[in-house]
Amino acid sequence: MNVIAVANSIGLAANDRGEITGTIDEEIVLGALSTLATSHPGHDELFTEAALRVELARSAGVEQRDANSVFNRSGTPRTVQLRYRSEMAEVFTDLAIDIGLRNAETLADTTA
């Protein structure tokens, strides 16, 4: 599973001006990281670090979702922690780079 493709699928893609704006639900980001972690075994500490970065990132506010809100799938009132999309995109970019570097190291010919 491609890290950048997953980031784009949750809305962390740049617009036509190359900007990433707005906010995103922290749970969506953490869920995407959890899904990625299962498809990239052996990199657990990278995903743990990425999740920690998400949780420690600047808050973009808290939103109270009513039970009847179209944005609330659970059907019960809940509080949503928002994060800045640009910062979450950086987490995914760094994660993709780290995984890529590790995979490059394992593919490198060390016998020369």
Side-chain angles (χ1 to χ4, degrees):
M1 191 175 282
N2 183 295
V3 175
I4 299 302
V6 170
N8 291 339
S9 75
I10 63 170
L12 300 179
N15 61 22
D16 38 337
R17 291 184 302 218
E19 301 170 337
I20 300 173
T21 59
T23 61
I24 188 168
D25 183 340
E26 177 185 85
E27 287 183 24
I28 291 172
V29 176
L30 292 173
L33 287 173
S34 177
T35 300
L36 280 167
T38 59
S39 59
H40 290 278
H43 302 292
D44 295 342
E45 70 283 357
L46 293 178
F47 289 97
T48 300
E49 181 183 322
L52 186 59
R53 283 182 61 190
V54 170
E55 292 171 353
L56 295 176
R58 291 184 305 149
S59 173
V62 177
E63 186 177 273
Q64 298 293 329
R65 296 210 174 141
D66 293 330
N68 297 330
S69 170
V70 295
F71 299 108
N72 188 0
R73 295 181 186 150
S74 69
T76 59
R78 70 181 192 109
T79 302
V80 175
Q81 173 62 59
L82 299 173
R83 300 292 179 198
Y84 291 102
R85 286 182 188 271
S86 58
E87 292 180 14
M88 298 303 98
E90 287 177 12
V91 170
F92 279 81
T93 300
D94 291 346
L95 182 60
I97 290 168
D98 290 342
I99 290 172
L101 287 173
R102 281 193 177 175
N103 289 340
E105 289 173 6
T106 60
L107 296 174
D109 181 13
T110 56
T111 58

